Short mmCIF file of all heavy atoms in Angstrom, two decimals:
data_model
loop_
_atom_site.label_atom_id
_atom_site.label_comp_id
_atom_site.label_asym_id
_atom_site.label_seq_id
_atom_site.Cartn_x
_atom_site.Cartn_y
_atom_site.Cartn_z
N LYS A 85 -34.66 2.33 -7.38
CA LYS A 85 -35.52 1.17 -7.13
C LYS A 85 -36.94 1.63 -6.80
O LYS A 85 -37.92 1.04 -7.28
CB LYS A 85 -34.93 0.33 -5.99
CG LYS A 85 -35.59 -1.01 -5.87
CD LYS A 85 -35.35 -1.82 -7.13
CE LYS A 85 -36.06 -3.15 -7.06
NZ LYS A 85 -36.07 -3.81 -8.33
N LYS A 86 -37.07 2.68 -5.99
CA LYS A 86 -38.40 3.20 -5.65
C LYS A 86 -39.11 3.70 -6.91
O LYS A 86 -40.30 3.41 -7.12
CB LYS A 86 -38.29 4.31 -4.62
CG LYS A 86 -37.99 3.81 -3.22
CD LYS A 86 -37.87 4.96 -2.24
CE LYS A 86 -37.46 4.43 -0.87
NZ LYS A 86 -37.26 5.51 0.10
N LEU A 87 -38.39 4.46 -7.74
CA LEU A 87 -38.99 4.96 -8.98
C LEU A 87 -39.36 3.80 -9.91
O LEU A 87 -40.41 3.81 -10.54
CB LEU A 87 -38.03 5.93 -9.69
CG LEU A 87 -37.82 7.27 -8.99
CD1 LEU A 87 -36.73 8.06 -9.70
CD2 LEU A 87 -39.12 8.06 -8.96
N HIS A 88 -38.50 2.80 -9.98
CA HIS A 88 -38.78 1.63 -10.81
C HIS A 88 -40.06 0.94 -10.32
O HIS A 88 -40.92 0.56 -11.14
CB HIS A 88 -37.60 0.66 -10.76
CG HIS A 88 -37.85 -0.63 -11.45
ND1 HIS A 88 -37.86 -0.74 -12.82
CD2 HIS A 88 -38.13 -1.87 -10.96
CE1 HIS A 88 -38.13 -1.99 -13.15
NE2 HIS A 88 -38.28 -2.70 -12.03
N ASN A 89 -40.20 0.78 -9.01
CA ASN A 89 -41.39 0.15 -8.46
C ASN A 89 -42.64 0.97 -8.74
O ASN A 89 -43.71 0.41 -9.04
CB ASN A 89 -41.23 -0.10 -6.96
CG ASN A 89 -40.26 -1.23 -6.67
OD1 ASN A 89 -40.01 -2.08 -7.52
ND2 ASN A 89 -39.71 -1.22 -5.48
N ILE A 90 -42.54 2.29 -8.66
CA ILE A 90 -43.68 3.16 -8.96
C ILE A 90 -44.11 2.97 -10.41
O ILE A 90 -45.30 2.83 -10.72
CB ILE A 90 -43.35 4.64 -8.66
CG1 ILE A 90 -43.23 4.85 -7.15
CG2 ILE A 90 -44.40 5.57 -9.25
CD1 ILE A 90 -42.68 6.21 -6.76
N ILE A 91 -43.13 2.95 -11.32
CA ILE A 91 -43.43 2.76 -12.75
C ILE A 91 -44.07 1.39 -12.97
O ILE A 91 -45.05 1.26 -13.72
CB ILE A 91 -42.15 2.93 -13.60
CG1 ILE A 91 -41.72 4.39 -13.57
CG2 ILE A 91 -42.37 2.46 -15.03
CD1 ILE A 91 -40.34 4.63 -14.17
N GLU A 92 -43.52 0.36 -12.34
CA GLU A 92 -44.07 -0.99 -12.49
C GLU A 92 -45.50 -1.05 -11.95
O GLU A 92 -46.36 -1.72 -12.54
CB GLU A 92 -43.19 -2.02 -11.79
CG GLU A 92 -41.82 -2.21 -12.43
CD GLU A 92 -41.89 -2.68 -13.87
OE1 GLU A 92 -42.61 -3.66 -14.15
OE2 GLU A 92 -41.23 -2.05 -14.71
N ASP A 93 -45.79 -0.36 -10.83
CA ASP A 93 -47.15 -0.32 -10.29
C ASP A 93 -48.09 0.37 -11.27
O ASP A 93 -49.24 -0.05 -11.46
CB ASP A 93 -47.18 0.40 -8.94
CG ASP A 93 -46.60 -0.42 -7.81
OD1 ASP A 93 -46.47 -1.66 -7.99
OD2 ASP A 93 -46.26 0.16 -6.76
N MET A 94 -47.61 1.45 -11.89
CA MET A 94 -48.43 2.18 -12.86
C MET A 94 -48.76 1.30 -14.07
O MET A 94 -49.83 1.40 -14.65
CB MET A 94 -47.73 3.46 -13.32
CG MET A 94 -47.64 4.53 -12.29
SD MET A 94 -46.70 5.89 -12.97
CE MET A 94 -47.11 7.18 -11.84
N LYS A 95 -47.82 0.46 -14.45
CA LYS A 95 -48.04 -0.44 -15.58
C LYS A 95 -48.96 -1.60 -15.19
O LYS A 95 -49.44 -2.32 -16.06
CB LYS A 95 -46.70 -1.02 -16.07
CG LYS A 95 -45.81 -0.04 -16.76
CD LYS A 95 -44.54 -0.77 -17.19
CE LYS A 95 -43.54 0.12 -17.87
NZ LYS A 95 -42.31 -0.60 -18.21
N GLY A 96 -49.14 -1.80 -13.92
CA GLY A 96 -49.99 -2.88 -13.46
C GLY A 96 -49.27 -4.21 -13.37
O GLY A 96 -49.89 -5.27 -13.33
N LYS A 97 -47.96 -4.19 -13.31
CA LYS A 97 -47.20 -5.44 -13.23
C LYS A 97 -47.25 -5.98 -11.81
O LYS A 97 -47.42 -5.26 -10.84
CB LYS A 97 -45.76 -5.21 -13.64
CG LYS A 97 -45.63 -4.82 -15.10
CD LYS A 97 -44.32 -5.26 -15.65
CE LYS A 97 -44.31 -4.93 -17.14
NZ LYS A 97 -43.09 -5.24 -17.75
N ILE A 98 -47.09 -7.26 -11.70
CA ILE A 98 -47.13 -7.94 -10.41
C ILE A 98 -45.71 -8.01 -9.86
O ILE A 98 -44.78 -8.37 -10.58
CB ILE A 98 -47.70 -9.36 -10.55
CG1 ILE A 98 -49.13 -9.28 -11.08
CG2 ILE A 98 -47.63 -10.11 -9.24
CD1 ILE A 98 -49.70 -10.62 -11.45
N ARG A 99 -45.57 -7.68 -8.56
CA ARG A 99 -44.27 -7.79 -7.90
C ARG A 99 -44.24 -9.07 -7.09
O ARG A 99 -45.23 -9.47 -6.50
CB ARG A 99 -44.02 -6.61 -6.98
CG ARG A 99 -43.45 -5.42 -7.69
CD ARG A 99 -42.96 -4.41 -6.70
NE ARG A 99 -44.05 -3.45 -6.51
CZ ARG A 99 -44.08 -2.54 -5.58
NH1 ARG A 99 -43.11 -2.45 -4.72
NH2 ARG A 99 -45.08 -1.71 -5.48
N VAL A 100 -43.07 -9.69 -7.05
CA VAL A 100 -42.89 -10.90 -6.28
C VAL A 100 -41.99 -10.58 -5.09
O VAL A 100 -40.94 -9.98 -5.25
CB VAL A 100 -42.25 -12.03 -7.13
CG1 VAL A 100 -41.98 -13.26 -6.29
CG2 VAL A 100 -43.12 -12.34 -8.32
N PHE A 101 -42.45 -10.95 -3.90
CA PHE A 101 -41.65 -10.74 -2.70
C PHE A 101 -41.11 -12.09 -2.25
O PHE A 101 -41.76 -13.12 -2.39
CB PHE A 101 -42.50 -10.11 -1.59
CG PHE A 101 -42.93 -8.72 -1.91
CD1 PHE A 101 -44.14 -8.48 -2.56
CD2 PHE A 101 -42.13 -7.65 -1.58
CE1 PHE A 101 -44.54 -7.20 -2.86
CE2 PHE A 101 -42.52 -6.36 -1.88
CZ PHE A 101 -43.73 -6.13 -2.53
N CYS A 102 -39.92 -12.07 -1.71
CA CYS A 102 -39.26 -13.31 -1.31
C CYS A 102 -38.71 -13.15 0.10
O CYS A 102 -38.13 -12.12 0.42
CB CYS A 102 -38.13 -13.61 -2.30
SG CYS A 102 -37.16 -15.04 -1.86
N ARG A 103 -38.91 -14.18 0.89
CA ARG A 103 -38.36 -14.18 2.25
C ARG A 103 -37.46 -15.40 2.37
O ARG A 103 -37.87 -16.52 2.06
CB ARG A 103 -39.48 -14.26 3.28
CG ARG A 103 -38.95 -14.29 4.69
CD ARG A 103 -40.11 -14.22 5.68
NE ARG A 103 -39.58 -14.45 7.01
CZ ARG A 103 -40.02 -15.39 7.82
NH1 ARG A 103 -41.02 -16.17 7.46
NH2 ARG A 103 -39.49 -15.54 9.01
N VAL A 104 -36.23 -15.21 2.81
CA VAL A 104 -35.28 -16.30 2.97
C VAL A 104 -35.05 -16.51 4.45
O VAL A 104 -34.79 -15.56 5.18
CB VAL A 104 -33.94 -15.96 2.26
CG1 VAL A 104 -32.93 -17.08 2.46
CG2 VAL A 104 -34.16 -15.69 0.79
N ARG A 105 -35.19 -17.76 4.89
CA ARG A 105 -34.98 -18.08 6.30
C ARG A 105 -33.89 -19.13 6.42
O ARG A 105 -33.63 -19.88 5.49
CB ARG A 105 -36.28 -18.58 6.94
CG ARG A 105 -36.75 -19.91 6.38
CD ARG A 105 -37.85 -20.50 7.26
NE ARG A 105 -38.37 -21.72 6.70
CZ ARG A 105 -37.76 -22.90 6.74
NH1 ARG A 105 -36.60 -23.01 7.34
NH2 ARG A 105 -38.31 -23.98 6.20
N PRO A 106 -33.27 -19.20 7.58
CA PRO A 106 -32.26 -20.25 7.78
C PRO A 106 -32.94 -21.61 7.89
O PRO A 106 -34.13 -21.71 8.22
CB PRO A 106 -31.57 -19.86 9.07
CG PRO A 106 -32.43 -18.85 9.73
CD PRO A 106 -33.36 -18.29 8.71
N LEU A 107 -32.19 -22.67 7.64
CA LEU A 107 -32.73 -24.02 7.74
C LEU A 107 -33.02 -24.35 9.22
O LEU A 107 -32.27 -23.95 10.11
CB LEU A 107 -31.74 -25.04 7.19
CG LEU A 107 -31.45 -24.95 5.69
CD1 LEU A 107 -30.34 -25.94 5.32
CD2 LEU A 107 -32.68 -25.23 4.88
N SER A 108 -34.11 -25.09 9.44
CA SER A 108 -34.45 -25.51 10.81
C SER A 108 -33.57 -26.70 11.19
O SER A 108 -32.92 -27.32 10.35
CB SER A 108 -35.92 -25.89 10.89
OG SER A 108 -36.16 -27.05 10.12
N ASN A 109 -33.59 -27.05 12.47
CA ASN A 109 -32.80 -28.19 12.95
C ASN A 109 -33.22 -29.49 12.26
O ASN A 109 -32.39 -30.31 11.90
CB ASN A 109 -32.92 -28.34 14.47
CG ASN A 109 -32.18 -27.23 15.20
OD1 ASN A 109 -31.24 -26.65 14.65
ND2 ASN A 109 -32.60 -26.94 16.41
N SER A 110 -34.54 -29.67 12.08
CA SER A 110 -35.01 -30.91 11.44
C SER A 110 -34.54 -30.97 9.98
O SER A 110 -34.20 -32.04 9.48
CB SER A 110 -36.52 -31.03 11.53
OG SER A 110 -37.15 -29.98 10.83
N GLU A 111 -34.53 -29.82 9.30
CA GLU A 111 -34.03 -29.79 7.91
C GLU A 111 -32.54 -30.11 7.87
O GLU A 111 -32.07 -30.82 6.98
CB GLU A 111 -34.31 -28.42 7.27
CG GLU A 111 -35.77 -28.18 7.01
CD GLU A 111 -36.07 -26.75 6.59
OE1 GLU A 111 -35.37 -25.83 7.08
OE2 GLU A 111 -37.00 -26.57 5.81
N LEU A 112 -31.82 -29.59 8.83
CA LEU A 112 -30.38 -29.87 8.89
C LEU A 112 -30.12 -31.35 9.16
O LEU A 112 -29.21 -31.95 8.59
CB LEU A 112 -29.70 -29.01 9.96
CG LEU A 112 -29.61 -27.51 9.65
CD1 LEU A 112 -29.09 -26.76 10.87
CD2 LEU A 112 -28.70 -27.27 8.46
N GLU A 113 -30.95 -31.95 10.06
CA GLU A 113 -30.79 -33.38 10.38
C GLU A 113 -31.06 -34.25 9.16
O GLU A 113 -30.45 -35.30 8.99
CB GLU A 113 -31.73 -33.77 11.53
CG GLU A 113 -31.30 -33.20 12.87
CD GLU A 113 -32.34 -33.42 13.96
OE1 GLU A 113 -33.40 -34.04 13.69
OE2 GLU A 113 -32.10 -32.94 15.09
N LYS A 114 -31.98 -33.80 8.30
CA LYS A 114 -32.31 -34.56 7.09
C LYS A 114 -31.24 -34.40 6.01
O LYS A 114 -31.28 -35.08 4.99
CB LYS A 114 -33.65 -34.11 6.53
CG LYS A 114 -34.83 -34.47 7.40
CD LYS A 114 -36.10 -33.93 6.78
CE LYS A 114 -37.30 -34.16 7.69
NZ LYS A 114 -38.51 -33.54 7.11
N GLY A 115 -30.29 -33.48 6.21
CA GLY A 115 -29.23 -33.26 5.23
C GLY A 115 -29.60 -32.25 4.17
O GLY A 115 -28.98 -32.21 3.10
N CYS A 116 -30.60 -31.42 4.43
CA CYS A 116 -30.99 -30.39 3.47
C CYS A 116 -29.92 -29.31 3.40
O CYS A 116 -29.15 -29.12 4.35
CB CYS A 116 -32.32 -29.76 3.88
SG CYS A 116 -33.71 -30.91 3.88
N SER A 117 -29.87 -28.60 2.28
CA SER A 117 -28.89 -27.51 2.14
C SER A 117 -29.59 -26.26 1.64
O SER A 117 -30.67 -26.33 1.05
CB SER A 117 -27.77 -27.91 1.17
OG SER A 117 -28.31 -28.15 -0.10
N ASN A 118 -28.97 -25.12 1.87
CA ASN A 118 -29.52 -23.85 1.42
C ASN A 118 -29.52 -23.79 -0.10
O ASN A 118 -28.57 -24.22 -0.75
CB ASN A 118 -28.69 -22.68 1.95
CG ASN A 118 -28.97 -22.38 3.40
OD1 ASN A 118 -30.08 -22.60 3.87
ND2 ASN A 118 -27.97 -21.88 4.10
N VAL A 119 -30.59 -23.24 -0.67
CA VAL A 119 -30.65 -23.02 -2.11
C VAL A 119 -30.85 -21.55 -2.43
O VAL A 119 -30.81 -21.16 -3.59
CB VAL A 119 -31.76 -23.86 -2.78
CG1 VAL A 119 -31.45 -25.33 -2.68
CG2 VAL A 119 -33.12 -23.53 -2.20
N ALA A 120 -31.07 -20.73 -1.41
CA ALA A 120 -31.27 -19.30 -1.61
C ALA A 120 -30.22 -18.53 -0.82
O ALA A 120 -30.01 -18.78 0.36
CB ALA A 120 -32.67 -18.89 -1.16
N TYR A 121 -29.55 -17.61 -1.51
CA TYR A 121 -28.51 -16.80 -0.89
C TYR A 121 -28.78 -15.34 -1.21
O TYR A 121 -29.12 -15.00 -2.35
CB TYR A 121 -27.13 -17.20 -1.41
CG TYR A 121 -26.82 -18.65 -1.17
CD1 TYR A 121 -27.05 -19.60 -2.17
CD2 TYR A 121 -26.31 -19.08 0.03
CE1 TYR A 121 -26.78 -20.94 -1.95
CE2 TYR A 121 -26.04 -20.42 0.26
CZ TYR A 121 -26.27 -21.35 -0.74
OH TYR A 121 -26.01 -22.67 -0.51
N ILE A 122 -28.62 -14.50 -0.21
CA ILE A 122 -28.82 -13.06 -0.41
C ILE A 122 -27.49 -12.46 -0.83
O ILE A 122 -26.53 -12.44 -0.05
CB ILE A 122 -29.35 -12.39 0.87
CG1 ILE A 122 -30.69 -13.01 1.25
CG2 ILE A 122 -29.45 -10.89 0.69
CD1 ILE A 122 -31.24 -12.54 2.58
N SER A 123 -27.42 -11.96 -2.07
CA SER A 123 -26.18 -11.37 -2.59
C SER A 123 -25.99 -9.95 -2.09
O SER A 123 -24.90 -9.57 -1.68
CB SER A 123 -26.19 -11.35 -4.12
OG SER A 123 -26.35 -12.65 -4.61
N ASP A 124 -27.06 -9.15 -2.16
CA ASP A 124 -27.03 -7.78 -1.64
C ASP A 124 -28.44 -7.40 -1.24
O ASP A 124 -29.31 -8.27 -1.15
CB ASP A 124 -26.44 -6.81 -2.68
CG ASP A 124 -27.20 -6.80 -3.99
OD1 ASP A 124 -28.42 -6.99 -3.97
OD2 ASP A 124 -26.56 -6.60 -5.04
N GLU A 125 -28.69 -6.13 -1.02
CA GLU A 125 -29.99 -5.69 -0.54
C GLU A 125 -31.13 -5.94 -1.53
O GLU A 125 -32.30 -5.98 -1.15
CB GLU A 125 -29.95 -4.18 -0.22
CG GLU A 125 -29.02 -3.84 0.91
CD GLU A 125 -28.93 -2.33 1.13
OE1 GLU A 125 -29.95 -1.64 0.93
OE2 GLU A 125 -27.85 -1.87 1.51
N PHE A 126 -30.79 -6.13 -2.81
CA PHE A 126 -31.81 -6.22 -3.84
C PHE A 126 -31.80 -7.54 -4.62
O PHE A 126 -32.57 -7.71 -5.54
CB PHE A 126 -31.64 -5.07 -4.84
CG PHE A 126 -31.66 -3.73 -4.17
CD1 PHE A 126 -30.50 -3.02 -3.96
CD2 PHE A 126 -32.85 -3.18 -3.72
CE1 PHE A 126 -30.51 -1.79 -3.33
CE2 PHE A 126 -32.87 -1.96 -3.09
CZ PHE A 126 -31.70 -1.26 -2.89
N THR A 127 -30.90 -8.45 -4.28
CA THR A 127 -30.75 -9.66 -5.09
C THR A 127 -30.76 -10.91 -4.21
O THR A 127 -30.09 -10.95 -3.19
CB THR A 127 -29.42 -9.62 -5.88
OG1 THR A 127 -29.37 -8.41 -6.61
CG2 THR A 127 -29.32 -10.78 -6.84
N VAL A 128 -31.53 -11.90 -4.66
CA VAL A 128 -31.53 -13.22 -4.04
C VAL A 128 -31.07 -14.19 -5.11
O VAL A 128 -31.58 -14.17 -6.24
CB VAL A 128 -32.93 -13.62 -3.54
CG1 VAL A 128 -32.93 -15.05 -3.04
CG2 VAL A 128 -33.39 -12.68 -2.44
#
Side-chain angles (χ1 to χ4, degrees):
K85 192 63 183 169
K86 285 179 185 177
L87 290 173
H88 174 75
N89 288 338
I90 291 170
I91 291 170
E92 293 300 310
D93 286 343
M94 289 177 164
K95 289 180 181 178
K97 295 209 175 177
I98 299 172
R99 275 192 265 169
V100 176
F101 293 91
C102 176
R103 179 174 172 235
V104 178
R105 66 168 177 76
L107 295 174
S108 67
N109 289 336
S110 63
E111 290 171 327
L112 290 172
E113 289 171 2
K114 292 178 185 176
C116 297
S117 62
N118 283 329
V119 294
Y121 302 96
I122 299 174
S123 302
D124 58 33
E125 295 176 34
F126 304 103
T127 307
V128 174

